[in-house]
Amino acid sequence: MNKISLAKRLNNNKRGYLIINADQGKHKPALIEDVENEYDTLAKLSKNILKNALVIGFAETAIAIGATLASSAGAYFMQTTRENICAENEYIYFTEAHSHATEQRIVLADMKEIYEKIDRIVFVEDEITTGNTIWHCIEEIESIFKGNKKYAIAPLTNTLSKERKKFFKERNVEIVYIRDINKESFEADVLDTVTDGDVSRIENAPKEDNIKYIDFKTDIRTRRLLNIKDLDNEIIRLEEYLEKNIDIMTLIKGKDIITVLGTEEFIYVPFKLAQYVYENADKSSKVYVHSSTRSPIEVSKTKDYPLHTRYEVESIYDKNRQTYIYDLKKSDIFFLVSDGKDKNGENDILKAIKLAGNKDIYFIRWDNEQQL
């Protein structure tokens, strides 16, 4: 399967495996040029379904993919979220049955604002297994708006059975994807995984010394409905801010390994910043991007297994939530980019980054004074 491999989920009785895409830049550090190529390939394949569309990227693994597709077409963008960004009665709810965190939702007011303005809604995923979650979302949206809107699905990887492909075809839901693989053996394939990888649990870490903090004030709320051009332009403003305030162009020169790490649902801005760093760093530099995640995954020292080390940290968004970072790289310069504000979670992540051998660390905060 080349770039696709299987990992064993940690303490998940609903589905035992997780597909790891080495070029996705989410769970596993990936070279930014490989991530860019992966996303752009899907964007080109999806060109026809993106015209006058609302693109919805699924939290947390497909947000950057969806935003990239929206950006390629100048489309409107919305993400699903599991964070509390408005009152409980102001969401459209649906669920993701096999996930460790089942509740998915989108903001009702945002859908009301955009529904009549677009011709199609495109759901973007990293991989689609049954399509149940997306179909539930379609049913919820149409039960409210009753507009019989066109729908499409764009995953990087399609593992739908023949029966499920037929199900969506009969309902005129187009599916565009890069690769199609058979998942029938996946549950059995991960059963005998040797789970002897390195695990570091970090709790109540003290504030780290020698971290460079940059607060970027912005009005853009990335979890709300966006004209993607507005977000892209704000990221350009962030890059200009970094040039002016920390001389980032000079900082990245002469660096062999550079990492940009996002947090949970906040991954598109780090992805774009990693692109910027790659374009301006030395040609020999290796620029990696990935993210912390809610996904609990087993780690193994087995060479061909995708993930080898796991750092367990408090979420930078919720002190009661455990999150994970996998295979942190020792880098010549390290950029943590987040819109999270929980100080304990922040300290835990920075401790993990230091434990991985990083010394030159910059924490760039996407600072919006409103709720997420």
Side-chain angles (χ1 to χ4, degrees):
M1 291 187 289
N2 295 323
K3 64 188 72 178
I4 302 297
S5 57
L6 296 180
K8 185 176 183 179
R9 290 174 182 260
L10 177 64
N11 299 326
N12 190 317
N13 296 322
K14 299 170 186 174
R15 194 172 81 177
Y17 69 89
L18 184 70
I19 294 174
I20 302 293
N21 183 338
D23 292 346
Q24 187 180 338
K26 176 56 183 174
H27 301 108
K28 181 182 179 69
L31 291 169
I32 185 59
E33 62 265 37
D34 293 336
V35 181
E36 184 177 11
N37 181 66
E38 182 82 348
Y39 293 3
D40 286 349
T41 298
L42 184 62
K44 289 173 183 175
L45 292 170
S46 305
K47 183 178 179 180
N48 290 335
I49 62 172
L50 295 173
K51 296 175 181 176
N52 196 32
L54 167 66
V55 179
I56 298 180
F58 266 77
E60 49 178 48
T61 52
I63 292 171
I65 309 166
T68 300
L69 264 61
S71 183
S72 73
Y76 287 96
F77 178 70
M78 185 189 299
Q79 67 160 83
T80 69
T81 185
R82 297 185 179 110
E83 302 294 350
N84 296 316
I85 59 174
C86 53
E88 288 299 312
N89 63 348
E90 296 176 356
Y91 296 105
I92 300 173
Y93 289 91
F94 45 103
T95 191
E96 192 172 11
H98 62 262
S99 177
H100 53 279
T102 57
E103 186 180 86
Q104 288 274 21
R105 54 197 178 179
I106 52 180
V107 177
L108 176 59
D110 289 348
M111 185 58 73
K112 285 180 177 178
E113 179 181 342
I114 195 63
Y115 186 86
E116 296 298 336
K117 298 178 183 178
I118 44 96
D119 297 325
R120 191 193 310 265
I121 296 175
V122 180
F123 297 99
V124 178
E125 273 281 27
D126 57 331
E127 53 108 353
I128 181 172
T129 53
T130 65
N132 286 336
T133 305
I134 290 174
W135 184 248
H136 290 159
C137 188
I138 292 172
E139 288 184 314
E140 286 298 315
I141 292 171
E142 288 305 318
S143 71
I144 296 169
F145 297 97
K146 299 177 173 60
N148 196 26
K149 193 68 65 179
K150 292 179 182 178
Y151 290 90
I153 309 170
L156 297 176
T157 301
N158 180 14
T159 67
L160 288 174
S161 66
K162 290 181 180 179
E163 291 76 16
R164 293 303 289 174
K165 289 175 183 176
K166 181 181 178 183
F167 174 90
F168 284 106
K169 185 175 182 180
E170 289 174 346
R171 288 156 180 78
N172 297 314
V173 178
E174 188 173 352
I175 304 175
V176 178
Y177 50 87
I178 297 177
R179 63 191 66 82
D180 192 340
I181 56 179
N182 188 323
K183 67 176 184 297
E184 287 185 9
S185 68
F186 287 179
E187 289 288 353
D189 289 344
V190 299
L191 281 178
D192 297 327
T193 300
V194 179
T195 56
D196 60 350
D198 295 322
V199 177
S200 296
R201 185 177 181 87
I202 301 168
E203 295 181 283
N204 300 315
K207 183 178 175 64
E208 288 292 328
D209 296 327
N210 302 318
I211 306 295
K212 278 75 74 174
Y213 292 89
I214 302 98
D215 284 335
F216 176 71
K217 301 291 184 181
T218 176
D219 294 328
I220 298 288
R221 301 174 68 187
T222 60
R223 290 166 181 79
R224 298 300 301 269
L225 173 67
L226 291 166
N227 182 330
I228 198 65
K229 290 181 179 178
D230 293 337
L231 178 54
D232 286 341
N233 287 336
E234 191 72 344
I235 295 170
I236 292 172
R237 192 172 75 85
L238 169 62
E239 293 162 358
E240 293 170 345
Y241 182 87
L242 296 175
E243 289 173 11
K244 179 179 179 181
N245 287 274
I246 62 171
D247 193 10
I248 190 171
M249 301 280 273
T250 300
L251 288 176
I252 60 179
K253 294 298 182 183
K255 303 297 192 296
D256 293 327
I257 298 177
I258 304 169
T259 294
V260 182
L261 182 73
T263 53
E264 302 179 49
E265 293 180 3
F266 191 76
I267 184 61
Y268 182 64
V269 174
F271 162 72
K272 294 293 286 185
L273 185 61
Q275 283 184 315
Y276 163 85
V277 169
Y278 176 70
E279 290 166 1
N280 291 284
D282 298 341
K283 289 185 178 180
S284 61
S285 298
K286 292 183 178 180
V287 181
Y288 292 91
V289 64
H290 64 131
S291 171
S292 65
T293 174
R294 290 187 180 203
S295 297
I297 311 168
E298 295 280 14
V299 290
S300 175
K301 293 179 181 177
T302 304
K303 183 179 179 182
D304 294 335
Y305 190 82
L307 302 173
H308 305 288
T309 62
R310 182 175 75 239
Y311 296 86
E312 301 179 350
V313 301
E314 180 183 303
S315 172
I316 196 168
Y317 301 98
D318 182 350
K319 64 181 179 180
N320 297 313
R321 184 162 76 226
Q322 182 83 65
T323 55
Y324 309 89
I325 316 169
Y326 299 94
D327 289 5
L328 278 166
K329 283 190 171 293
K330 182 179 179 181
S331 309
D332 296 301
I333 187 168
F334 197 107
F335 297 101
L336 172 62
V337 188
S338 178
D339 61 349
K341 295 183 178 180
D342 182 272
K343 290 298 181 183
N344 290 336
E346 173 186 316
N347 292 340
D348 283 3
I349 294 176
L350 291 169
K351 179 67 175 180
I353 292 168
K354 277 202 166 184
L355 285 175
N358 295 284
K359 297 179 181 178
D360 195 6
I361 304 168
Y362 289 77
F363 180 21
I364 302 167
R365 193 192 310 276
W366 184 272
D367 189 0
N368 187 295
E369 293 300 328
Q370 303 178 67
Q371 286 181 292
L372 291 175

